[in-house]
Amino acid sequence: EVLSAKASPDELAGFLGQHAERLEAVGDKPRAVRLWAQLATLAEQRLGDVERALEAHRRVVVLEPRLDALDALARLRMARSEPAEAVPWLTQRLDKTAAGPERTAVVLQLAEALLGASRSERATQVLARAVADEPGEPRTRDLLLKLYRDAQAWEPLAALLQVAAAHTDQRAQILAHLYEAAAIYRDRLGTLDRAIPVLEQLRRLVPDDRGVLQSLADALWAANRHADARVILEQLLAEFGRRRSSERAAVHTKLAALARAEGNRIEAL
């Protein structure tokens, strides 16, 4: 305390560094850690010497991987636009952080650093694991959705959209997720039969949406569930009534094709 009051910041920094080195040499890690931590704070806050602060925090972590030192190393690297250098510290921080809001914050920081370092594939892996652990956390889930869209990773995107719909309370968002997933199976993957669970959910939520019913009938047909497809098509036909329209004619055409597929030539006519 006397030295802190009388010495200049530079002199105090020199003293702390020298004594921390000596304490390390004799195996007194706890006291060495305290001195390195003091030096890191002094270097950053009073001297404005970021390099010295980084080195002092690094020495702390080598002796004892304290969370505050890991946080400081990542923060200082990101502040200097050095995301690649922040990644190792944030990775250690994540490994030492239990599930909960704090872990989510670290995941997002690590993802930001990885993306800044042009490591989008690794960022996606980190987020995917986080979402698997906590699918109800919207921040990691929404960022992962964005990365999948940007990468045109249709298969995992369709799956994640269904997870998002199951963990969202807002009806409009649920519908948006399900509609997007169904469109991916139909238009991007060409596997409309795999959209059946999604379309069935949409049918329950928006029973009057004829587009959903038509897509569900097509999907059931693609899955060789002809009887189920017929039920949907006949429901659509009943809703059209006797009113002539191109949509009604299209349903008739599908019913005839379905009859032919079932070997019912009379009905097909």
Side-chain angles (χ1 to χ4, degrees), residues 78-215:
M78 291 298 287
R80 296 208 310 184
S81 299
E82 297 172 345
E85 288 74 14
V87 167
W89 308 120
L90 287 166
T91 300
Q92 286 191 57
R93 179 64 159 93
L94 184 62
D95 290 341
K96 297 180 181 301
T97 307
E102 186 179 8
R103 183 175 178 84
T104 298
V106 176
V107 167
L108 292 169
Q109 291 173 47
L110 177 54
E112 179 187 359
L114 287 164
L115 291 171
S118 299
R119 296 177 60 187
S120 58
E121 184 176 347
R122 179 56 184 153
T124 299
Q125 293 171 352
V126 168
L127 289 166
R129 178 179 175 182
V131 171
D133 291 339
E134 293 189 65
E137 172 52 61
R139 293 173 294 171
T140 48
R141 195 180 64 226
D142 290 348
L143 181 54
L144 184 57
L145 284 170
K146 180 183 183 304
L147 294 183
Y148 281 152
R149 289 190 187 101
D150 291 346
Q152 298 185 356
W154 306 122
E155 190 83 39
L157 176 56
L160 183 57
L161 285 164
Q162 294 173 75
V163 172
H167 290 87
T168 303
D169 295 328
Q170 297 180 359
R171 175 182 169 84
Q173 194 64 65
I174 293 172
L175 291 175
H177 288 324
L178 294 177
Y179 277 122
E180 185 179 357
I184 288 171
Y185 284 123
R186 182 187 64 231
D187 303 329
R188 300 293 186 176
L189 298 174
T191 54
L192 187 55
D193 56 312
R194 294 175 59 198
I196 291 174
V198 178
L199 291 165
E200 287 177 335
Q201 288 184 68
L202 283 169
R203 183 188 182 190
R204 289 190 292 271
L205 292 168
V206 282
D208 297 330
D209 189 328
R210 288 176 180 169
V212 168
L213 292 176
Q214 290 171 348
S215 292

